[in-house]
Amino acid sequence: MSFVPSKSSAAPIVASVIDTFIAPPCLAQIEILFEDEAILVINKPSGLLSLSGKNPLNLDSVHYRLVQDFADARLLHRLDFGTSGIILVARNKHINGLLTQQFQHRSVTKTYQALLMGKLSADSGVIDAPIAKDAALFPRLKICELEGKTALTEYQMLSYCEQTDLSRVQFTPITGRTHQLRLHSQHIGHPILGCDLYGGIVEGSKKPVRMMLHAQTLAFTHPLTDERMQIHCPCPF
């Protein structure tokens, strides 16, 4: 039986995409790397959501935990569920607005470390590959020259292990698109180890305990003192 909408229907029927992901419990704790009256800089553990999900089973998150002690805490940016490392947090609305301007002007700089599958053909370079959404791919994104938004990533290979066939790489994202480092790694043929969305799991092999991506440095100007700050969080893998 087919459904034919009545002529009185005012709005088109749009198929919604349902996220069925349920995060397993995360026992690891958030580490506070820096704290004052204006900001927090924290180390997010892998396996913890940045923000609580719509599903009530995904309540636990960085934000949910922080507001228990810092009632007006506001995340300036997010890290993917499997990514560990530095997140900058404003402690009130005013500070959030000041720091948001720094992100918009790209005066906040970040570096990440990752383990990529295989050996890179070049020791360094820039990945220029626009990123677009596609409902059919949800929750994945795609590289698309026509529809994508500009996405730029600088990379530097730090080392290569022949025994494991893994490259340790430092990433410096110039833009901050969702899944940028994960998708750009796949784009150059070297997915991040443990990345289940973009080819980081070898079929038939044991899945790594986590995604091997870590936000290791964050540099910004303190919103009250104008001091240029650089926070470092050592890579745990």
Side-chain angles (χ1 to χ4, degrees), residues 3-118:
F3 171 75
V4 179
S6 68
K7 294 182 180 180
S8 62
S9 297
I13 297 175
V14 179
S16 60
V17 180
I18 300 175
D19 186 357
T20 58
F21 174 74
I22 303 297
C26 179
L27 302 180
Q29 299 300 305
I30 294 171
E31 177 187 6
I32 295 180
L33 303 173
F34 178 86
E35 174 187 352
D36 66 11
E37 72 278 11
I39 62 172
L40 301 169
V41 184
I42 63 105
N43 176 18
K44 182 188 92 70
S46 175
L48 181 64
L49 295 167
S50 291
L51 296 174
S52 302
K54 294 180 180 179
N55 190 315
L57 294 178
N58 288 332
L59 178 63
D60 189 26
S61 68
V62 171
H63 182 258
Y64 177 77
R65 293 186 186 187
L66 288 180
V67 295
Q68 310 306 311
D69 298 311
F70 307 95
D72 202 19
R74 298 160 185 255
L75 274 59
L76 272 300
H77 56 113
R78 289 177 278 178
L79 294 177
D80 287 343
F81 173 75
T83 305
S84 58
I86 299 174
I87 295 180
L88 178 59
V89 182
R91 292 191 59 178
N92 59 60
K93 182 179 180 179
H94 174 63
I95 297 299
N96 184 76
L98 296 176
L99 288 171
T100 295
Q101 292 179 23
Q102 293 189 39
F103 279 89
Q104 291 172 340
H105 296 152
R106 297 185 182 177
S107 59
V108 177
T109 59
K110 312 173 196 175
T111 67
Y112 293 72
Q113 261 197 52
L115 292 181
L116 304 191
M117 298 169 65

